[in-house]
Coordinates of all heavy atoms in Angstrom, one line a residue:
M1 N 164.1 162.4 66.8 CA 164.5 161.6 67.9 C 163.7 162.0 69.1 O 163.9 163.0 69.8 CB 166.0 161.9 68.1 CG 166.5 161.9 69.5 SD 168.3 162.3 69.5 CE 168.2 163.8 70.5
G2 N 162.6 161.2 69.4 CA 161.7 161.4 70.5 C 162.3 160.9 71.8 O 163.2 160.1 71.8
V3 N 161.8 161.5 72.9 CA 162.3 161.1 74.2 C 161.4 159.9 74.6 O 160.2 160.0 74.5 CB 162.1 162.3 75.2 CG1 162.5 161.8 76.6 CG2 163.0 163.4 74.7
E4 N 162.0 158.8 75.0 CA 161.3 157.6 75.4 C 160.5 157.8 76.7 O 161.1 158.4 77.6 CB 162.2 156.4 75.5 CG 162.9 156.0 74.2 CD 161.9 155.5 73.2 OE1 161.0 154.8 73.5 OE2 162.0 156.0 72.0
M5 N 159.3 157.4 76.7 CA 158.5 157.5 77.9 C 158.9 156.3 78.8 O 159.2 155.2 78.3 CB 157.0 157.4 77.6 CG 156.5 158.7 77.0 SD 154.7 158.8 77.1 CE 154.1 157.1 77.0
A6 N 158.8 156.5 80.1 CA 159.0 155.3 81.0 C 157.9 154.3 80.7 O 156.8 154.6 80.3 CB 158.9 155.8 82.4
A7 N 158.3 153.0 80.9 CA 157.3 152.0 80.6 C 156.0 152.2 81.4 O 156.0 152.4 82.6 CB 158.0 150.6 81.0
G8 N 154.9 152.1 80.7 CA 153.6 152.2 81.3 C 153.2 153.6 81.7 O 152.2 153.8 82.4
E9 N 154.0 154.6 81.3 CA 153.7 156.0 81.7 C 152.4 156.4 81.0 O 152.4 156.4 79.7 CB 154.8 157.0 81.5 CG 154.5 158.3 82.0 CD 155.6 159.3 81.8 OE1 156.4 159.2 80.8 OE2 155.7 160.3 82.6
D10 N 151.4 156.8 81.7 CA 150.2 157.3 81.1 C 150.4 158.7 80.5 O 151.1 159.5 81.1 CB 149.1 157.3 82.3 CG 147.8 157.7 81.8 OD1 147.0 156.8 81.4 OD2 147.5 158.9 81.9
I11 N 149.6 159.0 79.4 CA 149.8 160.3 78.8 C 149.4 161.4 79.7 O 150.0 162.5 79.7 CB 149.1 160.4 77.4 CG1 149.5 161.6 76.7 CG2 147.6 160.3 77.6 CD1 149.1 161.6 75.2
S12 N 148.4 161.2 80.6 CA 148.0 162.3 81.5 C 149.1 162.5 82.5 O 149.3 163.7 82.9 CB 146.7 161.9 82.2 OG 146.8 160.8 83.1
I13 N 149.8 161.5 83.0 CA 150.9 161.7 83.9 C 152.1 162.5 83.2 O 152.7 163.4 83.7 CB 151.4 160.3 84.4 CG1 150.4 159.7 85.3 CG2 152.8 160.5 85.2 CD1 150.6 158.3 85.7
R14 N 152.3 162.1 81.9 CA 153.3 162.8 81.1 C 153.0 164.3 81.0 O 153.8 165.1 81.1 CB 153.4 162.1 79.8 CG 154.6 162.7 79.0 CD 154.8 162.0 77.7 NE 156.0 162.5 77.0 CZ 156.2 162.5 75.7 NH1 155.3 161.9 74.9 NH2 157.3 163.0 75.2
R15 N 151.7 164.6 80.7 CA 151.3 166.0 80.6 C 151.5 166.7 81.9 O 152.0 167.9 81.9 CB 149.8 166.0 80.2 CG 149.5 165.7 78.8 CD 148.0 165.7 78.5 NE 147.8 165.4 77.1 CZ 146.9 164.5 76.7 NH1 146.1 163.9 77.6 NH2 146.7 164.3 75.4
K16 N 151.1 166.1 83.0 CA 151.4 166.8 84.3 C 152.8 167.0 84.6 O 153.2 168.1 85.1 CB 150.8 165.9 85.5 CG 149.3 165.9 85.6 CD 148.9 165.2 86.8 CE 147.4 165.1 86.9 NZ 146.8 163.8 86.6
R17 N 153.7 166.0 84.2 CA 155.1 166.2 84.5 C 155.7 167.3 83.6 O 156.5 168.1 84.1 CB 155.8 164.8 84.1 CG 157.3 164.8 84.4 CD 157.9 163.4 84.3 NE 157.5 162.7 83.1 CZ 158.0 162.9 81.9 NH1 159.0 163.8 81.7 NH2 157.6 162.1 80.9
L18 N 155.2 167.4 82.3 CA 155.7 168.4 81.5 C 155.3 169.8 81.9 O 156.0 170.8 81.9 CB 155.3 168.2 80.0 CG 156.1 167.1 79.3 CD1 155.5 166.8 78.0 CD2 157.5 167.5 79.1
R19 N 154.0 169.9 82.4 CA 153.5 171.2 83.0 C 154.4 171.6 84.2 O 154.7 172.8 84.3 CB 152.0 171.1 83.3 CG 151.2 171.1 82.1 CD 149.7 171.0 82.4 NE 149.2 172.2 83.1 CZ 148.0 172.3 83.6 NH1 147.2 171.3 83.4 NH2 147.6 173.4 84.2
Y20 N 154.6 170.6 85.0 CA 155.5 171.0 86.2 C 156.8 171.4 85.8 O 157.3 172.5 86.3 CB 155.6 169.7 87.1 CG 156.4 170.0 88.3 CD1 155.8 170.5 89.5 CD2 157.8 169.7 88.4 CE1 156.6 170.8 90.6 CE2 158.6 170.0 89.5 CZ 157.9 170.5 90.6 OH 158.7 170.8 91.7
R21 N 157.5 170.7 84.9 CA 158.8 171.1 84.4 C 158.8 172.5 83.7 O 159.8 173.2 83.9 CB 159.3 170.1 83.3 CG 160.0 168.9 83.9 CD 160.6 168.0 82.8 NE 161.7 168.7 82.1 CZ 162.1 168.4 80.9 NH1 161.6 167.4 80.2 NH2 163.1 169.1 80.3
A22 N 157.7 172.8 83.0 CA 157.6 174.1 82.4 C 157.6 175.2 83.4 O 158.1 176.3 83.1 CB 156.4 174.1 81.5
W23 N 157.0 175.0 84.5 CA 156.9 176.1 85.6 C 158.1 176.1 86.5 O 158.3 176.9 87.3 CB 155.7 175.9 86.4 CG 154.5 176.4 85.7 CD1 153.5 175.7 85.1 CD2 154.1 177.8 85.6 NE1 152.5 176.6 84.6 CE2 152.9 177.9 84.9 CE3 154.7 179.0 86.0 CZ2 152.3 179.1 84.6 CZ3 154.1 180.2 85.7 CH2 152.9 180.2 85.0
H24 N 159.0 175.1 86.4 CA 160.1 174.9 87.4 C 161.4 174.8 86.6 O 162.1 173.8 86.7 CB 159.9 173.8 88.3 CG 158.7 173.9 89.2 ND1 157.4 173.6 88.8 CD2 158.5 174.5 90.4 CE1 156.6 173.9 89.7 NE2 157.2 174.5 90.7
R25 N 161.7 175.8 85.8 CA 162.9 175.7 84.9 C 164.2 176.0 85.6 O 165.2 175.6 85.2 CB 162.7 176.7 83.8 CG 161.5 176.5 82.9 CD 161.7 175.4 81.9 NE 162.9 175.6 81.2 CZ 163.4 174.7 80.4 NH1 162.9 173.5 80.2 NH2 164.6 174.9 79.7
G26 N 164.2 176.9 86.6 CA 165.4 177.4 87.2 C 165.6 178.8 86.9 O 166.3 179.5 87.7
T27 N 165.0 179.4 85.8 CA 165.0 180.8 85.6 C 163.6 181.3 85.5 O 162.7 180.7 84.8 CB 165.8 181.2 84.3 OG1 165.1 180.8 83.2 CG2 167.2 180.8 84.3
K28 N 163.3 182.4 86.2 CA 161.9 182.9 86.3 C 161.4 183.3 84.9 O 160.3 183.0 84.6 CB 161.9 184.1 87.2 CG 160.5 184.5 87.7 CD 159.9 183.4 88.5 CE 158.5 183.7 89.0 NZ 157.8 182.5 89.4
E29 N 162.3 183.8 84.1 CA 161.9 184.2 82.7 C 161.3 183.0 81.9 O 160.3 183.2 81.3 CB 163.1 184.9 82.0 CG 163.6 186.2 82.6 CD 164.6 186.0 83.7 OE1 164.9 184.8 84.1 OE2 165.1 187.0 84.2
M30 N 162.0 181.9 82.0 CA 161.6 180.8 81.2 C 160.3 180.1 81.8 O 159.5 179.6 81.1 CB 162.7 179.7 81.0 CG 163.7 180.1 80.0 SD 163.1 180.8 78.4 CE 162.1 179.5 77.8
D31 N 160.2 180.2 83.2 CA 159.0 179.7 83.8 C 157.8 180.5 83.3 O 156.8 179.9 83.0 CB 159.1 180.0 85.4 CG 160.1 179.1 86.1 OD1 160.7 178.2 85.5 OD2 160.3 179.4 87.3
L32 N 158.0 181.8 83.1 CA 156.8 182.6 82.7 C 156.6 182.5 81.2 O 155.5 183.0 80.8 CB 157.1 184.1 83.1 CG 157.2 184.3 84.6 CD1 157.6 185.7 84.9 CD2 155.8 184.0 85.3
I33 N 157.5 181.9 80.5 CA 157.2 181.7 79.0 C 156.7 180.3 78.8 O 155.6 180.1 78.2 CB 158.5 181.9 78.2 CG1 158.9 183.4 78.3 CG2 158.4 181.4 76.8 CD1 160.3 183.7 77.8
L34 N 157.3 179.3 79.4 CA 156.9 177.9 79.1 C 155.8 177.5 80.0 O 155.0 176.6 79.6 CB 158.1 177.0 79.3 CG 159.2 177.1 78.2 CD1 160.4 176.2 78.6 CD2 158.6 176.7 76.9
G35 N 155.7 178.0 81.2 CA 154.6 177.6 82.1 C 153.2 177.9 81.5 O 152.4 177.0 81.4
P36 N 152.9 179.1 81.2 CA 151.6 179.4 80.6 C 151.4 178.7 79.2 O 150.3 178.3 79.0 CB 151.6 180.9 80.4 CG 152.6 181.5 81.3 CD 153.7 180.4 81.5
F37 N 152.4 178.5 78.5 CA 152.3 177.8 77.2 C 151.9 176.4 77.5 O 151.0 175.9 76.8 CB 153.6 177.8 76.4 CG 153.6 177.1 75.1 CD1 153.1 177.6 74.0 CD2 154.0 175.7 75.1 CE1 153.0 176.9 72.8 CE2 153.9 175.0 73.9 CZ 153.4 175.6 72.7
A38 N 152.6 175.7 78.4 CA 152.2 174.3 78.7 C 150.8 174.2 79.3 O 150.0 173.4 78.9 CB 153.2 173.8 79.7
D39 N 150.4 175.2 80.2 CA 149.1 175.2 80.8 C 148.0 175.3 79.7 O 147.0 174.6 79.7 CB 148.9 176.3 81.7 CG 149.6 176.1 83.1 OD1 150.1 175.0 83.3 OD2 149.6 177.1 83.9
A40 N 148.3 176.1 78.7 CA 147.3 176.3 77.6 C 147.2 175.2 76.6 O 146.2 175.1 75.9 CB 147.6 177.7 76.9
N41 N 148.3 174.4 76.4 CA 148.4 173.5 75.3 C 148.5 172.0 75.6 O 148.0 171.2 74.8 CB 149.5 173.9 74.4 CG 149.3 175.3 73.8 OD1 148.5 175.4 72.9 ND2 150.0 176.3 74.2
V42 N 149.1 171.6 76.7 CA 149.5 170.2 76.8 C 148.3 169.3 76.9 O 148.4 168.2 76.4 CB 150.5 169.9 78.0 CG1 151.8 170.5 77.8 CG2 149.9 170.2 79.3
E43 N 147.2 169.7 77.4 CA 146.0 168.8 77.5 C 145.5 168.4 76.2 O 144.9 167.3 76.0 CB 144.9 169.5 78.4 CG 145.2 169.7 79.8 CD 145.7 168.4 80.5 OE1 145.1 167.3 80.3 OE2 146.7 168.5 81.3
G44 N 145.7 169.3 75.2 CA 145.3 168.9 73.8 C 146.3 168.2 73.0 O 146.0 167.9 71.8
Y45 N 147.5 168.1 73.5 CA 148.6 167.5 72.7 C 148.6 166.0 72.8 O 148.4 165.4 73.9 CB 150.0 168.0 73.2 CG 150.3 169.4 72.8 CD1 151.5 170.0 73.2 CD2 149.6 170.1 71.8 CE1 151.9 171.2 72.8 CE2 149.9 171.4 71.4 CZ 151.1 171.9 71.9 OH 151.5 173.2 71.4
G46 N 148.9 165.4 71.7 CA 149.2 163.9 71.7 C 150.7 163.7 71.9 O 151.4 164.6 72.1
Q47 N 151.0 162.4 71.7 CA 152.4 162.0 72.0 C 153.4 162.8 71.1 O 154.5 163.2 71.6 CB 152.6 160.5 71.8 CG 151.8 159.6 72.7 CD 152.3 159.7 74.2 OE1 153.2 160.4 74.6 NE2 151.7 158.8 75.0
A48 N 153.1 163.0 69.8 CA 154.0 163.7 68.9 C 154.3 165.1 69.4 O 155.5 165.5 69.4 CB 153.5 163.7 67.5
E49 N 153.3 165.8 69.7 CA 153.4 167.2 70.2 C 154.2 167.3 71.5 O 155.0 168.1 71.8 CB 152.1 168.0 70.3 CG 151.4 168.2 69.0 CD 150.4 167.2 68.6 OE1 150.3 166.1 69.3 OE2 149.6 167.5 67.7
L50 N 153.8 166.3 72.4 CA 154.5 166.3 73.7 C 156.0 166.0 73.5 O 156.9 166.6 74.2 CB 153.9 165.2 74.6 CG 152.5 165.5 75.1 CD1 151.9 164.3 75.9 CD2 152.3 166.8 75.8
D51 N 156.3 165.1 72.5 CA 157.8 164.9 72.2 C 158.4 166.2 71.8 O 159.6 166.5 72.2 CB 157.9 163.9 71.0 CG 157.6 162.4 71.5 OD1 157.5 162.1 72.7 OD2 157.4 161.6 70.5
R52 N 157.8 167.0 71.0 CA 158.3 168.2 70.5 C 158.5 169.2 71.6 O 159.6 169.9 71.7 CB 157.4 168.8 69.4 CG 157.4 168.0 68.1 CD 156.4 168.5 67.1 NE 157.0 169.6 66.4 CZ 156.3 170.3 65.5 NH1 155.0 170.1 65.3 NH2 156.9 171.4 64.9
L53 N 157.5 169.3 72.5 CA 157.7 170.2 73.6 C 158.8 169.8 74.5 O 159.6 170.6 75.0 CB 156.3 170.3 74.4 CG 156.4 171.1 75.7 CD1 156.8 172.5 75.5 CD2 155.0 171.0 76.4
E54 N 158.9 168.5 74.8 CA 159.9 167.9 75.7 C 161.3 168.2 75.1 O 162.2 168.6 75.8 CB 159.7 166.4 75.9 CG 160.5 165.9 77.1 CD 159.9 164.7 77.7 OE1 159.1 163.9 77.0 OE2 160.3 164.4 78.8
A55 N 161.4 168.0 73.8 CA 162.7 168.3 73.1 C 163.1 169.7 73.3 O 164.3 170.0 73.6 CB 162.7 167.9 71.7
L56 N 162.2 170.6 73.2 CA 162.5 172.1 73.3 C 162.8 172.3 74.8 O 163.8 173.1 75.1 CB 161.3 172.9 72.9 CG 161.6 174.4 72.7 CD1 162.6 174.7 71.6 CD2 160.3 175.1 72.4
M57 N 162.1 171.7 75.7 CA 162.4 172.0 77.1 C 163.7 171.4 77.6 O 164.2 171.7 78.6 CB 161.2 171.4 78.0 CG 160.0 172.4 77.8 SD 158.5 171.8 78.7 CE 159.1 171.2 80.2
N58 N 164.2 170.4 76.8 CA 165.5 169.9 77.1 C 166.7 170.8 76.8 O 167.8 170.6 77.2 CB 165.7 168.5 76.4 CG 164.9 167.4 77.1 OD1 164.5 167.5 78.2 ND2 164.7 166.4 76.3
E59 N 166.4 171.9 76.1 CA 167.4 172.9 75.8 C 167.7 173.7 77.1 O 166.8 173.8 78.0 CB 166.9 173.9 74.7 CG 166.7 173.2 73.4 CD 168.0 172.7 72.7 OE1 169.1 173.2 73.0 OE2 167.8 171.8 71.9
E60 N 168.9 174.3 77.2 CA 169.3 175.1 78.4 C 168.5 176.4 78.3 O 168.2 176.9 77.3 CB 170.8 175.4 78.3 CG 171.6 174.1 78.6 CD 171.5 173.6 80.0 OE1 171.4 174.4 80.9 OE2 171.5 172.3 80.1
D61 N 168.2 177.0 79.5 CA 167.5 178.2 79.6 C 168.1 179.4 78.9 O 167.4 180.1 78.2 CB 167.2 178.6 81.0 CG 166.0 177.8 81.6 OD1 165.4 177.0 80.9 OD2 165.7 178.0 82.8
P62 N 169.4 179.7 79.1 CA 170.0 180.9 78.5 C 169.8 181.0 77.0 O 169.3 182.0 76.5 CB 171.4 180.9 79.0 CG 171.4 180.1 80.3 CD 170.4 179.1 80.0
P63 N 170.2 179.9 76.2 CA 170.0 180.0 74.8 C 168.5 180.0 74.4 O 168.1 180.8 73.5 CB 170.7 178.8 74.2 CG 171.0 177.9 75.3 CD 171.0 178.7 76.6
L64 N 167.7 179.3 75.1 CA 166.3 179.2 74.8 C 165.7 180.6 75.0 O 164.9 181.0 74.1 CB 165.6 178.2 75.7 CG 164.2 177.8 75.4 CD1 163.9 177.4 74.0 CD2 163.7 176.7 76.4
L65 N 166.0 181.3 76.0 CA 165.5 182.6 76.3 C 165.9 183.6 75.1 O 165.1 184.3 74.6 CB 165.9 183.2 77.6 CG 165.4 184.5 78.0 CD1 163.9 184.5 78.1 CD2 166.0 185.0 79.4
K66 N 167.2 183.5 74.7 CA 167.6 184.3 73.6 C 166.9 184.0 72.3 O 166.6 184.9 71.5 CB 169.2 184.1 73.4 CG 170.0 184.8 74.5 CD 171.4 184.5 74.3 CE 172.2 185.2 75.5 NZ 173.6 184.8 75.5
W67 N 166.6 182.8 72.1 CA 165.8 182.4 70.8 C 164.4 183.0 70.9 O 163.9 183.5 70.0 CB 165.7 180.9 70.6 CG 167.0 180.2 70.6 CD1 168.3 180.8 70.3 CD2 167.3 178.9 71.0 NE1 169.3 179.8 70.4 CE2 168.7 178.6 70.8 CE3 166.5 177.8 71.4 CZ2 169.3 177.4 71.1 CZ3 167.1 176.6 71.7 CH2 168.5 176.4 71.5
V68 N 163.8 182.8 72.1 CA 162.4 183.3 72.3 C 162.3 184.9 72.1 O 161.4 185.4 71.5 CB 161.8 182.9 73.6 CG1 160.5 183.6 73.9 CG2 161.6 181.4 73.7
M69 N 163.4 185.5 72.6 CA 163.4 187.0 72.6 C 164.0 187.5 71.2 O 164.0 188.7 71.0 CB 164.3 187.5 73.7 CG 163.8 187.2 75.1 SD 162.1 187.9 75.3 CE 161.7 187.3 76.9
G70 N 164.3 186.6 70.3 CA 164.8 187.0 69.0 C 166.2 187.6 69.0 O 166.6 188.3 68.1
Q71 N 167.0 187.3 70.1 CA 168.3 187.8 70.2 C 169.3 187.0 69.5 O 170.4 187.4 69.2 CB 168.7 188.0 71.7 CG 167.9 189.0 72.5 CD 168.1 188.9 74.0 OE1 168.6 187.9 74.5 NE2 167.6 189.9 74.7
E72 N 169.0 185.7 69.3 CA 169.9 184.8 68.6 C 169.0 183.8 67.8 O 167.9 183.5 68.1 CB 170.7 183.9 69.6 CG 171.9 184.6 70.2 CD 172.7 183.7 71.1 OE1 172.4 182.4 71.1 OE2 173.5 184.2 71.9
E73 N 169.6 183.3 66.7 CA 169.0 182.3 65.9 C 169.2 180.9 66.5 O 170.4 180.7 66.9 CB 169.6 182.3 64.5 CG 169.0 183.4 63.6 CD 167.6 183.2 63.3 OE1 167.1 182.2 62.9 OE2 166.8 184.2 63.5
P74 N 168.2 180.1 66.6 CA 168.5 178.8 67.2 C 169.3 177.9 66.2 O 169.2 178.1 65.0 CB 167.1 178.2 67.4 CG 166.2 179.0 66.5 CD 166.8 180.3 66.3
P75 N 170.1 177.0 66.7 CA 170.8 176.1 65.8 C 169.9 175.2 65.0 O 168.7 175.1 65.3 CB 171.7 175.2 66.8 CG 171.0 175.3 68.1 CD 170.3 176.6 68.1
A76 N 170.4 174.6 63.9 CA 169.6 173.8 63.0 C 168.9 172.6 63.6 O 167.8 172.2 63.1 CB 170.5 173.3 61.9
N77 N 169.4 172.1 64.7 CA 168.8 170.9 65.3 C 167.5 171.3 66.1 O 166.8 170.4 66.5 CB 169.8 170.2 66.3 CG 170.2 171.1 67.5 OD1 170.6 172.2 67.3 ND2 170.0 170.5 68.6
V78 N 167.3 172.6 66.3 CA 166.1 173.0 67.1 C 164.8 173.0 66.2 O 164.9 173.4 65.1 CB 166.3 174.4 67.8 CG1 165.1 174.9 68.4 CG2 167.4 174.3 68.8
D79 N 163.7 172.5 66.8 CA 162.4 172.5 66.0 C 161.9 173.9 66.0 O 161.2 174.4 66.8 CB 161.5 171.6 66.8 CG 160.1 171.4 66.1 OD1 159.8 172.2 65.3 OD2 159.4 170.4 66.6
R80 N 162.3 174.6 64.9 CA 161.9 176.0 64.8 C 160.4 176.2 64.6 O 159.9 177.3 65.1 CB 162.6 176.6 63.6 CG 164.1 176.8 63.8 CD 164.8 177.2 62.6 NE 166.3 177.2 62.8 CZ 167.1 178.3 62.7 NH1 166.5 179.4 62.2 NH2 168.3 178.2 62.9
D81 N 159.7 175.3 64.0 CA 158.3 175.5 63.9 C 157.6 175.4 65.3 O 156.7 176.2 65.6 CB 157.7 174.4 63.0 CG 158.1 174.5 61.5 OD1 158.5 175.7 61.1 OD2 158.0 173.5 60.8
F82 N 158.0 174.5 66.1 CA 157.5 174.4 67.4 C 157.9 175.6 68.3 O 157.1 176.2 69.0 CB 157.9 173.1 68.1 CG 157.0 172.8 69.3 CD1 155.7 172.2 69.1 CD2 157.3 173.1 70.6 CE1 154.9 171.9 70.1 CE2 156.4 172.9 71.6 CZ 155.2 172.2 71.4
L83 N 159.2 176.0 68.2 CA 159.6 177.2 68.9 C 158.8 178.4 68.5 O 158.5 179.2 69.3 CB 161.1 177.5 68.5 CG 161.8 178.7 69.2 CD1 161.7 178.6 70.7 CD2 163.2 178.9 68.7
A84 N 158.4 178.5 67.2 CA 157.6 179.6 66.7 C 156.2 179.7 67.4 O 155.7 180.7 67.7 CB 157.4 179.6 65.2
L85 N 155.7 178.5 67.8 CA 154.4 178.4 68.5 C 154.6 179.0 69.9 O 153.8 179.7 70.4 CB 153.9 177.0 68.6 CG 153.5 176.3 67.3 CD1 153.2 174.8 67.6 CD2 152.4 177.0 66.7
V86 N 155.7 178.7 70.5 CA 156.0 179.2 71.9 C 156.2 180.7 71.9 O 155.7 181.4 72.7 CB 157.3 178.5 72.5 CG1 157.7 179.1 73.8 CG2 157.0 177.0 72.7
I87 N 156.9 181.2 70.8 CA 157.2 182.6 70.7 C 155.9 183.3 70.5 O 155.6 184.4 71.1 CB 158.2 182.9 69.6 CG1 159.6 182.3 70.0 CG2 158.2 184.4 69.2 CD1 160.6 182.3 68.8
A88 N 155.0 182.8 69.6 CA 153.7 183.5 69.3 C 152.8 183.5 70.5 O 152.2 184.5 70.8 CB 153.0 182.8 68.2
D89 N 152.8 182.4 71.3 CA 152.1 182.4 72.5 C 152.6 183.4 73.5 O 151.8 184.2 74.1 CB 152.2 181.0 73.1 CG 151.4 180.8 74.4 OD1 150.2 180.6 74.3 OD2 152.0 180.9 75.5
H90 N 153.9 183.5 73.7 CA 154.5 184.5 74.6 C 154.2 185.9 74.1 O 153.8 186.8 74.9 CB 156.0 184.3 74.6 CG 156.7 185.3 75.5 ND1 156.5 185.4 76.8 CD2 157.6 186.3 75.2 CE1 157.2 186.4 77.3 NE2 157.9 186.9 76.3
Q91 N 154.3 186.2 72.8 CA 154.0 187.6 72.3 C 152.5 187.9 72.6 O 152.3 189.1 73.0 CB 154.3 187.6 70.8 CG 155.7 187.5 70.4 CD 156.6 188.6 70.9 OE1 156.1 189.7 71.2 NE2 157.9 188.4 71.1
A92 N 151.6 187.0 72.4 CA 150.2 187.3 72.6 C 150.0 187.6 74.1 O 149.2 188.5 74.4 CB 149.4 186.1 72.2
R93 N 150.7 186.9 75.0 CA 150.5 187.1 76.4 C 151.0 188.5 76.9 O 150.4 189.2 77.7 CB 151.3 186.1 77.2 CG 150.4 185.0 77.6 CD 151.2 183.9 78.4 NE 151.0 182.6 77.7 CZ 149.8 182.0 77.7 NH1 148.8 182.5 78.4 NH2 149.6 180.8 77.1
I94 N 152.2 188.9 76.3 CA 152.8 190.2 76.8 C 152.1 191.4 76.1 O 152.2 192.5 76.6 CB 154.3 190.3 76.6 CG1 154.7 190.1 75.1 CG2 155.0 189.2 77.4 CD1 156.2 190.3 74.9
E95 N 151.3 191.1 75.1 CA 150.6 192.2 74.5 C 149.3 192.5 75.1 O 148.6 193.5 74.9 CB 150.3 191.9 73.0 CG 151.6 192.1 72.2 CD 151.5 191.5 70.8 OE1 150.4 191.1 70.3 OE2 152.6 191.4 70.1
K96 N 148.8 191.6 76.0 CA 147.5 191.8 76.7 C 147.6 192.9 77.8 O 148.6 193.1 78.4 CB 147.1 190.5 77.5 CG 146.6 189.5 76.5 CD 146.1 188.3 77.2 CE 145.5 187.2 76.3 NZ 145.2 186.0 76.9

């Protein structure tokens, strides 16, 4: 179930909007996880990957943070493969 784009929305505008959302989550912890991930990846993403990122970003911060930190298993409706990309990106950043 993809998120519908506004009529005529250009993919570059969508990428900018997602990058902004990734850095302005409401919790600093998620800003620092999703912001760098979005900066590193959205320019190379097509519509399908942007849909997956947007779906993940539509989750609330507290459970999302717990999933990224491995404190809780995400529910079945969450795109675990895409979440794994976010987790791997975050782990690589904190190991630097």
Side-chain angles (χ1 to χ4, degrees):
M1 147 182 117
V3 176
E4 293 298 315
M5 287 195 329
E9 184 178 29
D10 181 88
I11 193 166
S12 66
I13 292 170
R14 187 175 185 203
R15 287 179 179 132
K16 284 187 183 104
R17 185 170 46 80
L18 285 171
R19 284 178 67 185
Y20 180 86
R21 275 187 65 200
W23 279 105
H24 298 87
R25 298 284 306 173
T27 66
K28 196 66 181 163
E29 295 86 356
M30 286 313 303
D31 291 352
L32 295 174
I33 292 167
L34 290 173
F37 179 83
D39 284 353
N41 294 290
V42 295
E43 293 306 319
Y45 281 177
Q47 298 290 5
E49 292 97 346
L50 294 176
D51 286 346
R52 293 173 80 187
L53 175 59
E54 194 158 21
L56 192 64
M57 287 176 42
N58 286 338
E59 297 292 336
E60 293 292 321
D61 280 358
L64 188 53
L65 184 60
K66 287 178 181 170
W67 305 335
V68 170
M69 296 302 174
Q71 296 168 343
E72 282 183 11
E73 282 294 309
N77 66 307
V78 171
D79 183 343
R80 289 172 185 237
D81 292 338
F82 199 83
L83 179 61
L85 296 175
V86 173
I87 292 169
D89 180 80
H90 176 65
Q91 293 296 337
R93 264 177 233 293
I94 61 176
E95 287 167 10
K96 283 184 180 172

